[in-house]
Amino acid sequence: MIPSPTPLAMNGMGLEAYERIARLYPICRSITGAGVRETLRIIGEEIELQIREVPTGTSVFDWTIPREWNIRDAYVQNLKGERVVDFKASNLHVLNYSVPVKARITLAELRPHLFSIPDHPDWIPYKTSYYTENWGFCLTDRQLQALQDPEYDVCIDSSLEDGYLTFGEYCLPGDEESEVLISCHVCHPSLCNDNLSGVSIAVSLAKLIRESARRYTYRFLFVPGTVGAITWLALNEHRASMIKHGLVLACVGDRGSLTYKRSRRGNAEIDRAVALVFRDAVPTPEIEDFSPYGYDERQYCSPGFNLPVGVFSRTPHGRFPEYHTSADNLDFVAPAQLANSLKTLVDVIGVLEGNAAFLNQNPKCEPQLGRRGLYSSMGGHSDDRRIREAALLWVLNLSDGDHSLLDIAERSGLAFPAIRDAAKSLTEHRLLEPSGARPKP
Ligand code: ZN
């Protein structure tokens, strides 16, 4: 069971997650190359990450591992030698995966290679061209409007060569081989909410789970978006069915409320566990149905796998103006929101770990709880007592082998920990036995 951290400990973890984001922020990441490796190396200082390297050209289902992209420098320079757009000022200035270029060209020739956001004239957009050869610069609209010279020198000192796709994997074995998958993408350059927040919270969660006895095996994936998840599935197709529950973590650090997108199955145990935790959260988070658009749930929930994997976010991708711009920076994410996301995830894991079905050993009328000390031991606040007593009665009544503790928490309206604690007390008093049957998936 993963112990729920105290509020003070949680604040500390939110701060730690934020500081991890700040450390990873300057690195120029992409779907391949040195930036991903450096990111995984830094994560590996905290958790023992297995680093996998898959060569360029490897077939992974309908895809092929692309050439590896690396970049050293890039700029647009006027003929006086002044850099008017400089990769060293922000790695977002380069169209990610740009092919190398070095030329003196006219402004008219340059313009089709420039991208800005007129509505937000001080923000740099984040753009990629992974699978179509192109080069370009992303710049603020103010920078764009200031370009008045007839000619500029452009340089992108990048390389696209045979190499590897790199991803990281961290496995924490549990009592059971059945797995909980936690997946996040590691391919975005200097952007915080999307998705350094997911990366950082995955590390925090791994460190918490590592310290606890656990029923499930936990697998954490740090993969380049899309092609990384596809690669992992291609390499692990034989064992993907071990995944019983999964979450993609994305955009978990902004000030918006929590949002959950259901798995393709719609009513998997993970969907119900998150919904249960959300039911009791203030302010009430959002729950959305599955759609085949978004992050790596697109791969995990493709029909050939149909894994029970949902998406855990705050404000979903594309629904905040800062999304995929330089404004998704260190000011856009906050330690308190990171802590809240982590706490909620711990509560969800608590439901998964604690869910089980029991059999009432005294099913003919209610057992006499007072005689067993189950009523009299409940001192304290009367609300607490009422909840504990109600939980005992609900668990006894519905523990007929057909209902899991999750079913009981849903139906009773009581929080999962109260139901789980009631089952524990009743088991200790031999009024319940594990039903043997696994709860319905
Ligand atoms: Zn993104």
Side-chain angles (χ1 to χ4, degrees):
M1 192 62 61
I2 318 298
S4 200
T6 63
L8 192 64
M10 216 22 109
N11 286 345
M13 279 180 245
L15 205 56
E16 185 185 79
Y18 183 85
E19 283 165 359
R20 192 179 295 118
I21 292 172
R23 186 172 172 203
L24 296 172
Y25 180 63
I27 300 170
C28 182
R29 277 163 293 269
S30 185
I31 52 172
T32 61
V36 179
R37 278 194 199 95
E38 175 64 2
T39 300
L40 297 177
R41 188 193 65 74
I42 290 172
I43 295 170
E45 292 175 7
E46 294 188 81
I47 56 176
E48 283 179 47
L49 215 52
Q50 305 284 316
I51 308 292
R52 317 280 184 195
E53 300 259 19
V54 185
T56 298
T58 306
S59 290
V60 285
F61 298 121
D62 199 41
W63 296 59
T64 305
I65 302 296
R67 288 181 294 165
E68 184 178 319
W69 185 71
N70 284 291
I71 183 158
R72 288 155 290 279
D73 196 9
Y75 55 83
V76 177
Q77 191 170 274
N78 63 25
L79 300 193
K80 286 183 272 179
E82 297 162 340
R83 290 190 176 197
V84 292
V85 182
D86 188 357
F87 171 78
K88 296 212 155 84
S90 168
N91 56 41
L92 298 178
H93 275 315
V94 165
L95 176 71
N96 202 283
Y97 246 70
S98 279
V99 297
V101 60
K102 191 161 176 45
R104 176 167 293 180
I105 60 175
T106 67
L107 181 56
E109 289 169 320
L110 178 57
R111 278 197 192 281
H113 296 277
L114 299 178
F115 307 96
S116 73
I117 314 170
D119 287 348
H120 294 286
D122 292 314
W123 296 358
I124 308 164
Y126 161 57
K127 289 199 174 293
T128 66
S129 188
Y130 300 138
Y131 303 107
T132 309
E133 283 203 1
N134 196 2
W135 62 269
F137 290 90
C138 302
L139 65 174
T140 70
D141 205 56
R142 276 188 220 289
Q143 282 176 304
L144 180 63
Q145 300 308 331
L147 296 179
Q148 302 289 346
D149 296 357
E151 284 189 316
Y152 288 92
D153 287 324
V154 296
C155 169
I156 297 179
D157 181 11
S158 65
S159 57
L160 262 172
E161 294 164 345
D162 284 358
Y164 297 88
L165 175 137
T166 313
F167 67 89
E169 191 165 3
Y170 180 57
C171 182
L172 284 167
D175 293 339
E176 297 184 14
E177 290 187 339
S178 300
E179 292 188 0
V180 178
L181 175 75
I182 305 290
S183 178
C184 59
H185 58 282
V186 287
C187 51
H188 285 27
S190 292
L191 296 169
C192 285
N193 201 35
D194 178 19
N195 187 229
L196 286 176
S197 67
V199 171
S200 186
I201 287 299
V203 175
S204 297
L205 189 62
K207 289 170 74 178
L208 270 176
I209 293 173
R210 177 176 67 188
E211 303 306 323
S212 318
R214 56 198 166 261
R215 166 180 162 188
Y216 287 113
T217 293
Y218 288 79
R219 185 170 303 279
F220 291 82
L221 295 184
F222 299 86
V223 290
T226 306
V227 68
I230 292 170
T231 300
W232 188 86
L233 286 165
L235 297 177
N236 294 279
E237 186 175 4
H238 58 288
R239 44 187 307 289
S241 62
M242 300 303 290
I243 296 168
K244 302 302 178 203
H245 320 286
L247 290 172
V248 167
L249 302 187
C251 304
V252 290
D254 66 89
R255 290 167 179 81
S257 64
L258 289 163
T259 306
Y260 178 69
K261 183 171 110 177
R262 293 187 186 99
S263 73
R264 181 177 183 270
R265 298 187 189 183
N267 202 30
E269 193 172 332
I270 184 67
D271 301 321
R272 294 173 55 200
V274 176
L276 184 71
V277 171
F278 277 17
R279 181 193 70 185
D280 301 327
V282 180
T284 307
E286 302 283 327
I287 297 185
E288 303 182 346
D289 277 330
F290 175 77
S291 60
Y293 178 73
Y295 293 108
D296 287 329
E297 73 281 10
R298 294 158 61 161
Q299 316 312 329
Y300 303 125
C301 297
S302 57
F305 286 100
N306 197 22
L307 296 174
V309 176
V311 183
F312 186 94
S313 311
R314 302 193 74 87
T315 308
H317 68 93
R319 293 193 218 159
F320 49 95
E322 295 85 354
Y323 172 74
H324 280 191
T325 78
S326 56
D328 182 0
N329 57 23
L330 288 165
D331 294 330
F332 190 65
V333 293
Q337 273 66 35
L338 292 162
N340 175 260
S341 297
L342 182 60
K343 163 79 169 73
T344 309
L345 286 164
V346 168
D347 290 346
V348 170
I349 300 284
V351 175
L352 298 176
E353 286 277 319
N355 192 23
F358 293 85
L359 272 179
N360 183 340
Q361 301 300 297
N362 190 98
K364 293 180 179 166
C365 302
E366 289 179 356
Q368 204 181 345
L369 297 179
R371 177 160 62 81
R372 294 174 170 85
L374 280 164
Y375 275 156
S376 60
S377 65
M378 296 169 203
H381 193 266
S382 61
D383 266 2
D384 288 349
R385 187 159 70 206
R386 188 183 53 75
I387 289 168
R388 284 184 216 172
E389 289 179 4
L392 289 170
L393 297 176
W394 273 107
V395 171
L396 280 169
N397 188 280
L398 288 178
S399 288
D400 52 7
D402 283 342
H403 294 93
S404 68
L405 297 185
L406 175 54
D407 293 324
I408 300 171
E410 286 175 339
R411 186 158 165 187
S412 66
L414 297 171
F416 189 82
I419 295 296
R420 185 193 56 213
D421 291 351
K424 185 165 177 282
S425 294
L426 292 166
T427 305
E428 284 164 2
H429 287 84
R430 300 178 182 280
L431 289 168
L432 284 189
E433 289 280 345
S435 79
R438 296 296 310 258
K440 282 175 293 186

